[in-house]
Amino acid sequence: ASPKDLVMAGLAACTSMTLQTRASMMLKTGKLKEGDLTRVTVETKDDTAPGTHMPNNIEVSIGLEGPLTDVQRRQLMASVKACPVKRMLQGELGGGVHVKLLDAPK
């Protein structure tokens, strides 16, 4: 797997975990009943041009299965913006990314 593939997998995993965390909170508060959300699927796709390494954009496709209401679907989808990996990819790192060279081992 390439580094980009690993980032894409991390984005999909983070999105799924964020949705599942929100669903758990909704269960605890009664906004969701057991069995309302039976499955979450997340797929990522990038549009990297041939011969380049940096995608123009990334598409995240989310499947929410189960007898959810429109309100429940909107609440779950609203939680996606909290995914830390998504936020990093969108440039929300307050301090940026810093690269440093380590001293050679002696």
Side-chain angles (χ1 to χ4, degrees):
S2 72
K4 184 180 71 176
D5 292 338
L6 295 174
V7 169
M8 298 292 281
L11 175 60
C14 182
T15 302
S16 178
M17 292 173 68
T18 301
L19 284 163
Q20 291 175 32
T21 299
R22 176 66 177 148
S24 293
M25 291 184 342
M26 289 173 68
L27 274 169
K28 289 178 185 174
T29 60
K31 293 181 180 180
L32 198 64
K33 294 186 311 271
E34 199 68 45
D36 282 348
L37 179 62
T38 56
R39 185 173 176 200
V40 173
T41 57
V42 180
E43 296 178 9
T44 56
K45 181 181 177 190
D46 66 272
D47 72 344
T48 305
T52 65
H53 299 286
M54 179 69 94
N56 259 345
N57 64 42
I58 297 171
E59 181 179 288
V60 180
S61 300
I62 298 169
L64 301 174
E65 296 179 22
L68 295 164
T69 66
D70 287 342
V71 170
Q72 290 169 323
R73 285 182 186 282
R74 280 195 305 274
Q75 289 174 336
L76 288 165
M77 289 302 292
S79 71
V80 172
K81 65 184 172 196
C83 167
V85 173
K86 178 181 178 290
R87 293 177 60 206
M88 285 190 306
L89 289 170
Q90 290 179 316
E92 290 187 40
L93 291 174
V97 176
H98 304 279
V99 178
K100 77 177 196 179
L101 178 63
L102 299 175
D103 292 334
K106 296 181 182 185

